[in-house]
Amino acid sequence: MSESTKPTSQAILGNSQSPPRTTTKSQAPPPIEDQEYCEPPLEFGEIEDFRYYNRGGFHPVDIGDILNDRFEVIHKLGCGGFGIGWLCHDRDFNKWRAVKILTANLSAESSNRELKTLAYLRDQASGEELERNHIGVALEHFYIEGPNGRHLCFVTPVFGCSVARWRSMLNCEEQSTMVASRNICRQVAKGLRFLHSKGIAHGDFKPGNILMRLEGIDDLDRSELEELLGEPDLEPMETMSGDDPRPRAPQYCVKHVSQTWCKRFLVEEVTIIDFGESFHVNSPKDSLGIPPAYAAPELMFPKTRALGFSSDIWALACVMFEIKTGDILFQNANRHDLDATVREFELFLGPLPDPYRAAWKGQDQVLQAHVRASETGKLGGNGELPSEANAYASEDATSLLEEKAEILAGTRSSHVLEGTLVKERTVYRPLHPGDPRSKPLHFRFPRNDALMLAGLLSAMLKYEPNDRMTSEEVCRHPWLSGKSGLQGICSKLGATRVGNLVKGLVFVLVLSLSAVVLNAYAASSKNVQPHSSGIIRGLCLPEIGDGNHAGQLFLMQCKY
């Protein structure tokens, strides 16, 4: 549809032939046939799968609809395989709210995991404790009946963009970004530790389920909010048959709002959401819907190891790497191409062990490959240990080792994860504000900081689930606990200078206490006067330089 003929949201709301629907619990789905739909516009990018606008799938929503006689739909926030999120105006309390409408198939009260988990968490902790630990729970929930079934709806505050989107808006070479990203990692780990302490595994721990909080959004009136959101981008829904898509589907397909619409309201605090894949550790699931880039080996190779907290720990490591660097760690992982997945794992973690190797190729093929390699002399022919390349399961092990060597070149590291964090990075910045031309900017993360993070992530990314750190151990690690700050100072100054610094601090403390005592004594005695000079000499703290200069200790006069 051309721009000149594309309807506006005001036109939709004002169309007397198509009044806003009021969806309540009392409506029953009419007996209608399933529909086939035309593909959505390519420029809409990520959009819901139209095939699910049928029985058991999505509830049809148009801009201006009223949900549960209360929530007026203003814009689309996002969508997924489980449901669609809408920005709504709560007409009862004059608040802006997010309403997530699940597919009908996932809405059965008896089987919905998110509903059970949220009820359990509310029973285990107060709302303040949940918020303090970065857990986003629904304010309330309700059900609506529609043409595709009965749908469970969760009402939450309006949250901001995903943590990955937040990270992409920062200049990764700046010191402030390094500080902020570590703080966000600390919050994310804290939230997961809280869930685990209550016996809950999240099951879908990824950046898209970790959102930034907003402040001040409810202070906006409707016109101010709509100015921020922009006009909804709409396209008519079309069926393959040419019939009206309603009532199975909405009248219009809505492109979700830009993730940057609320940028000025973002605060550096996260909320963990979406517990649709969660489970109690005493009742583990057999499989999870987490994307491959965050899925542990026991998920990529089903029925090899039990799922549990350790699967979340693997995902947490991937998330923390992404928050720190802005890059996806296992970006080529793919359930439909296990060869690429195995190569990713082996590049960072070394040869794939059993039982994953057997689950991937089959135990017989693994044994046959071992025999063939031995017969052709690849194992030495006389029972010798295999070469490094032959230890890998990847068919292109030689190129894998070449890539590993390329990553490690010049990093003074022996592990790929270390080398990846230590190596020089390049970003491109405009030559001048508004200039389309760009120039490369080279930088490195501070070496000690990168090595410490690499050590933490390596302890979380173990093939064997039982070998991974617990969430409690992760939170106590120096990179997150804050103890690394002193270690960083020590590494910059050196042991001798640190010793002198400590001595200087002690000296200043003693002199300061002496001054307080003398003043107190002078004030209490008419015959005793402070020292006539009124001056003592002490050592001041050094200023930490750029690594070549540790700073200068200098004397200053301190009056008491």
Side-chain angles (χ1 to χ4, degrees):
M1 180 177 290
S2 66
E3 291 296 328
S4 60
T5 59
K6 187 177 295 186
T8 64
S9 60
Q10 286 83 1
I12 295 171
L13 293 176
N15 188 343
S16 60
Q17 301 301 316
S18 180
R21 286 176 298 204
T22 300
T23 310
T24 68
K25 295 181 289 185
S26 60
Q27 291 180 333
I32 53 177
E33 296 299 321
D34 285 355
Q35 290 275 20
E36 291 185 45
Y37 302 95
C38 299
E39 292 293 322
L42 291 177
E43 63 269 20
F44 269 37
E46 184 180 349
I47 201 77
E48 68 266 27
D49 189 335
F50 289 174
R51 293 175 300 174
Y52 288 99
Y53 280 115
N54 280 301
R55 284 191 198 90
F58 298 130
H59 179 68
V61 174
D62 280 311
I63 301 296
D65 283 355
I66 310 298
L67 306 175
N68 205 35
D69 291 327
R70 176 176 162 192
F71 298 98
E72 181 183 357
V73 177
I74 305 298
H75 213 308
K76 181 190 284 183
L77 291 174
C79 59
F82 299 155
I84 301 176
W86 298 93
L87 177 60
C88 298
H89 178 237
D90 184 346
R91 303 196 301 181
D92 285 359
F93 294 96
N94 195 29
K95 298 283 187 181
W96 302 112
R97 293 287 182 248
V99 178
K100 181 173 72 171
I101 308 177
L102 300 187
T103 61
N105 284 342
L106 292 173
S107 295
E109 190 168 2
S110 60
S111 61
N112 186 268
R113 288 183 177 271
E114 184 162 14
L115 196 61
K116 291 180 178 180
T117 296
L118 295 180
Y120 173 79
L121 289 174
R122 286 196 197 93
D123 186 59
Q124 294 289 311
S126 66
E128 292 77 11
E129 187 179 4
L130 292 170
E131 183 175 348
R132 192 166 59 249
N133 285 282
H134 311 288
I135 306 301
V137 298
L139 301 171
E140 58 183 289
H141 71 274
F142 59 89
Y143 287 88
I144 55 177
E145 296 282 356
N148 297 326
R150 187 170 186 255
H151 302 264
L152 174 60
C153 306
F154 290 108
V155 181
T156 69
V158 180
F159 297 120
C161 61
S162 72
V163 69
R165 181 60 180 165
W166 166 83
R167 177 61 179 78
S168 72
M169 292 189 285
L170 305 180
N171 291 331
C172 50
E173 74 278 7
E174 295 180 358
Q175 178 65 28
S176 59
T177 299
M178 299 179 194
V179 173
S181 61
R182 187 194 300 228
N183 179 45
I184 294 300
C185 284
R186 185 181 296 117
Q187 294 178 33
V188 169
K190 179 183 178 182
L192 191 62
R193 177 182 63 181
F194 176 82
L195 289 176
H196 288 186
S197 72
K198 303 302 180 183
I200 297 296
H202 187 279
D204 195 13
F205 205 75
K206 60 184 180 183
N209 286 336
I210 305 168
L211 305 183
M212 307 303 294
R213 295 186 68 86
L214 301 177
E215 283 187 358
I217 190 76
D218 279 323
D219 296 333
L220 300 176
D221 61 27
R222 190 184 187 106
S223 62
E224 291 172 325
L225 183 67
E226 290 180 342
E227 183 178 353
L228 280 174
L229 295 168
E231 193 73 30
D233 202 347
L234 309 172
E235 283 288 340
M237 289 284 293
E238 297 180 350
T239 62
M240 299 294 288
S241 63
D243 295 335
D244 192 327
R246 297 171 293 180
R248 286 281 190 214
Q251 184 178 6
Y252 295 98
C253 165
V254 184
K255 184 178 181 180
H256 67 72
V257 68
S258 166
Q259 287 202 55
T260 59
W261 74 271
C262 54
K263 184 176 179 179
R264 67 186 175 98
F265 297 98
L266 291 175
V267 293
E268 288 184 5
E269 187 174 343
V270 301
T271 296
I272 298 169
I273 64 163
D274 199 340
F275 296 90
E277 293 283 357
S278 63
F279 57 93
H280 195 280
V281 72
N282 293 333
S283 303
K285 297 178 68 175
D286 294 328
S287 63
L288 297 171
I290 188 170
Y294 310 96
E298 61 269 22
L299 285 163
M300 298 300 289
F301 305 97
K303 299 181 180 180
T304 52
R305 290 286 187 266
L307 308 185
F309 293 153
S310 54
S311 305
D312 277 350
I313 295 299
W314 178 286
L316 173 62
C318 297
V319 168
M320 289 172 57
F321 179 90
E322 194 166 337
I323 294 173
K324 172 65 177 179
T325 66
D327 301 326
I328 299 174
L329 181 58
F330 298 115
Q331 59 183 347
N332 293 321
N334 189 328
R335 282 193 177 89
H336 303 293
D337 184 3
L338 286 180
D339 290 355
T341 301
V342 170
R343 194 182 191 284
E344 289 274 85
F345 287 170
E346 292 196 319
L347 177 64
F348 285 96
L349 308 177
L352 185 76
D354 279 334
Y356 309 124
R357 188 180 294 220
W360 174 43
K361 289 294 189 181
Q363 188 64 48
D364 290 343
Q365 290 189 34
V366 172
L367 292 174
Q368 290 172 12
H370 183 87
V371 171
R372 285 196 303 270
S374 179
E375 290 174 349
T376 57
K378 291 183 179 179
L379 297 182
N382 297 314
E384 298 174 5
L385 291 174
S387 67
E388 185 178 4
N390 288 323
Y392 287 83
S394 299
E395 294 182 1
D396 60 342
T398 301
S399 67
L400 184 150
L401 292 176
E402 290 173 352
E403 182 179 352
K404 177 180 177 182
E406 183 180 345
I407 293 173
L408 295 177
T411 65
R412 292 181 289 135
S413 299
S414 58
H415 300 287
V416 173
L417 191 55
E418 280 187 6
T420 302
L421 289 167
V422 168
K423 71 178 182 180
E424 183 178 80
R425 294 173 169 270
T426 303
V427 294
Y428 292 87
R429 297 284 179 254
L431 291 174
H432 307 287
D435 194 328
R437 297 173 299 169
S438 62
K439 60 180 178 180
L441 176 65
H442 306 285
F443 74 100
R444 295 178 187 267
F445 295 129
R447 183 175 181 84
N448 289 339
D449 179 77
L451 291 178
M452 187 174 294
L453 175 58
L456 170 59
L457 298 182
S458 295
M460 301 165 70
L461 295 168
K462 298 291 187 182
Y463 281 124
E464 180 60 45
N466 291 334
D467 293 341
R468 296 171 203 155
M469 299 177 81
T470 65
S471 56
E472 179 64 37
E473 290 169 337
V474 171
C475 290
R476 289 204 307 264
H477 190 275
W479 193 79
L480 287 177
S481 66
K483 296 177 183 177
S484 57
L486 179 58
Q487 294 174 358
I489 292 176
C490 292
S491 65
K492 281 179 175 282
L493 294 178
T496 303
R497 291 180 178 177
V498 171
N500 291 337
L501 174 60
V502 172
K503 291 178 183 178
L505 289 171
V506 172
F507 183 56
V508 169
L509 180 61
V510 171
L511 291 177
S512 299
L513 291 174
S514 300
V516 172
V517 171
L518 287 173
N519 271 325
Y521 186 77
S524 62
S525 174
K526 295 181 180 180
N527 299 323
V528 180
Q529 298 297 325
H531 192 276
S532 58
S533 67
I535 293 176
I536 62 174
R537 291 181 181 271
L539 287 173
C540 289
L541 292 176
E543 179 178 347
I544 306 302
D546 58 4
N548 296 322
H549 303 284
Q552 299 293 328
L553 291 174
F554 61 95
L555 295 174
M556 71 173 289
Q557 294 182 333
C558 306
K559 294 191 176 183
Y560 62 83

